[in-house]
Amino acid sequence: MPTAGTPGSTVSTTTTTDATGAFSIAPFTGELDLSQPADLGAPVDQAGDDLAGADLAGVDSGATDLAAADLAPGPDMALPPPTPATFVQKGSYCQGTGSCVAYLPAASSPGDLLVISCGGASDTPPTLPNGWVQAVIDQPGTGATTSIWYYLDTFGGSTGINVSGGSASALSAVVSEWSGPTTLNVTGAKSAVQSQSATATTSAAASASLAISVFGVATGANPVTFTQGAWQNIANDSGVNTAWHVTTDYLLAPTLDQPVTADATANYSGAWYGVVATFR
């Protein structure tokens, strides 16, 4: 006759006969089916290599997979390499009182990044058309500002961009076009000043393919000349006999994972303003 057991398990029983030939069934103890090392109690399946060793306590949950590579800072969490930047075109400085229009020599191409470098002899920051984003500004409240603005020109066709300084003061602006980078990376403002030079350093390590700087110096009415360093010049107003002078430079492929430092030097002393921005 069948004997009840655990559902899904095999039940083992023992039968004997007495002197009369009648059969009897020994009580089921469960020892044979449930306590065998190979089925449930052995270390191999639960306590050994499968669960405690390799799958849960070792490779999958331990230092190698989760704590070291996937979740901790390092190569897995780093930004991918930036898209290389290519210079497309630039305008010349527009200069005005309160506002001016920065022109490109030709209409921009779809998908390119446009960057405007601004310097104004006023505490009022510049205003640009809708869609332009301020990357960084040096606005200490001492009579002038320098700033960088950018715009991802999805549809192309841009030629002139109106820049308003917000007051009746000298304003300079220039627009440049770049293929490759599409977004801002890290920025910085003036970090050190001497009488005839200044530097600006990003506040964090850069992962970018393009860096742009803008420096302005208030000197009084002098024909200031800027000395070119390792960066390439986009535009400057060297030699103009005015009290406010601006220069903007660029650097392709700045060193990855390090702060970026830009500098400017002039032949006259003055009050310096400066910013740097990187793009990727």
Side-chain angles (χ1 to χ4, degrees):
M1 62 180 292
T3 302
T6 302
S9 65
T10 302
V11 178
S12 176
T13 62
T14 303
T15 61
T16 60
T17 59
D18 58 17
T20 64
F23 285 94
S24 63
I25 300 175
F28 170 68
T29 65
E31 295 177 355
L32 181 61
D33 291 312
L34 300 180
S35 63
Q36 294 301 314
D39 291 333
L40 295 177
V44 174
D45 289 334
Q46 290 183 332
D49 290 343
D50 288 340
L51 298 179
D55 292 338
L56 295 181
V59 175
D60 291 340
S61 296
T64 301
D65 284 346
L66 296 178
D70 295 336
L71 299 181
D76 286 354
M77 300 287 286
L79 290 171
T83 303
T86 301
F87 170 77
V88 178
Q89 61 175 336
K90 63 178 181 177
S92 56
Y93 260 127
C94 71
Q95 295 178 311
T97 301
S99 66
C100 67
V101 179
Y103 285 102
L104 285 170
S108 60
S109 298
D112 281 356
L113 183 73
L114 305 183
V115 179
I116 285 187
S117 306
C118 294
S122 167
D123 289 327
T124 302
T127 301
L128 275 75
N130 289 337
W132 283 85
V133 180
Q134 179 183 285
V136 61
I137 187 169
D138 183 15
Q139 187 183 14
T142 55
T145 64
T146 53
S147 59
I148 296 173
W149 301 71
Y150 67 98
Y151 174 71
L152 183 60
D153 198 358
T154 305
F155 300 105
S158 297
T159 53
I161 299 93
N162 185 68
V163 181
S164 173
S167 66
S169 300
L171 173 69
S172 298
V174 61
V175 58
S176 55
E177 180 179 355
W178 307 88
S179 174
T182 59
T183 189
L184 181 68
N185 181 222
V186 294
T187 65
K190 178 180 74 253
S191 54
V193 175
Q194 296 181 351
S195 60
Q196 293 180 221
S197 65
T199 61
T201 303
T202 59
S203 59
S207 177
S209 57
L210 171 66
I212 292 180
S213 67
V214 185
F215 288 92
V217 58
T219 63
N222 292 301
V224 168
T225 299
F226 293 101
T227 301
Q228 192 61 46
W231 293 36
Q232 300 299 308
N233 189 244
I234 297 174
N236 65 69
D237 58 0
S238 289
V240 180
N241 193 25
T242 61
W244 173 243
H245 301 270
V246 183
T247 184
T248 180
D249 296 332
Y250 74 91
L251 177 68
L252 293 177
T255 303
L256 297 179
D257 301 322
Q258 293 184 16
V260 173
T261 297
D263 61 77
T265 302
N267 60 335
Y268 283 89
S269 300
W272 283 91
Y273 305 78
V275 289
V276 59
T278 63
F279 301 89
R280 56 173 289 114

